[in-house]
Amino acid sequence: MNRISLSDIHLCRGSADHFKFDAELSRFLQSSLRHLGPTEIILNGDILDLIAVEDEGEMDEIIKEISVAHAAVFDAFRAAARRSHLVFVPGNHDHQIGDKNIAAVLEKLVPGIHIAANGVYQAEDRMAGNKVFYHFEHGDAHDPWSSLISPQMGRAAKTNIIAKDLIHEF
């Protein structure tokens, strides 16, 4: 199986939105699905940019607004979810995705998307008779500074342990 992994595109809305490559990304995904055959697409963290959102009550509406602002990208995500396997691995800027209500909003916007709610996705393949394992998680899970800034941002308990050890070292 072919795999494509995308990370850190930080789709946002309004003046904070700096992603200007919707047409190119959409074209790339659609072309890949058309020419590569069975393809798994892993959205490996920070696909959305929700880190500055303070009112969690508005999160559903904000995600919908992002999907409208980046309609071509979300159309490509929907096509990928229909034709192949689309996996979303939350990153530190997607930290609110862990909330089941927000995951449900994303699942409604992109039916068929698989959300790796624990922040980890693993896959297995066979190549030349050998098993090949893939492990996807966004890098912030291993970044001790993420935990120092905000405990919600460091998903893995090991990150908090590393951060505490670093603090004690100083």
Side-chain angles (χ1 to χ4, degrees):
M1 169 167 303
N2 297 300
R3 285 194 173 80
I4 296 172
S5 179
L6 298 172
S7 159
D8 292 281
I9 59 175
H10 292 271
L11 299 176
C12 197
R13 65 190 180 132
S15 62
D17 191 4
H18 300 291
F19 187 81
K20 307 295 182 204
F21 307 100
D22 295 66
E24 292 87 344
L25 178 57
S26 175
R27 202 169 28 255
F28 167 74
L29 291 172
Q30 290 173 359
S31 176
S32 298
L33 291 171
R34 197 170 34 255
H35 297 293
L36 292 177
T39 302
E40 181 173 56
I41 298 174
I42 298 104
L43 305 174
N44 195 23
D46 292 0
I47 300 305
L48 304 175
D49 201 334
L50 304 172
I51 203 161
V53 177
E54 293 182 18
D55 185 356
E56 290 182 26
E58 296 178 7
M59 193 66 67
D60 295 2
E61 191 56 39
I62 290 168
I63 293 171
K64 288 176 189 168
E65 288 176 20
I66 293 171
S67 76
V68 169
H70 297 283
V73 173
F74 273 79
D75 286 345
F77 289 165
R78 283 187 278 279
R82 280 192 309 273
R83 292 187 214 151
S84 63
H85 191 222
L86 180 67
V87 179
F88 181 85
V89 179
N92 56 317
H93 286 244
D94 308 303
H95 71 282
Q96 297 290 349
I97 277 304
D99 181 288
K100 291 193 186 309
N101 295 331
I102 293 160
V105 170
L106 194 59
E107 289 168 338
K108 283 180 187 171
L109 291 171
V110 184
I113 192 170
H114 170 76
I115 298 177
N118 62 354
V120 173
Y121 177 68
Q122 296 180 323
E124 180 181 321
D125 255 342
R126 285 209 168 271
M127 257 187 238
N130 298 314
K131 276 189 178 180
V132 179
F133 295 96
Y134 299 91
H135 178 93
F136 294 91
E137 66 183 302
H138 196 65
D140 69 287
H142 301 282
D143 180 3
W145 302 111
S146 289
S147 291
L148 291 173
I149 296 166
S150 169
Q152 305 102 294
M153 292 167 68
R155 289 186 309 275
K158 61 188 168 210
T159 305
N160 289 319
I161 292 167
I162 292 169
K164 287 176 186 172
D165 289 346
L166 279 173
I167 291 169
H168 290 295
E169 298 261 337
F170 295 109

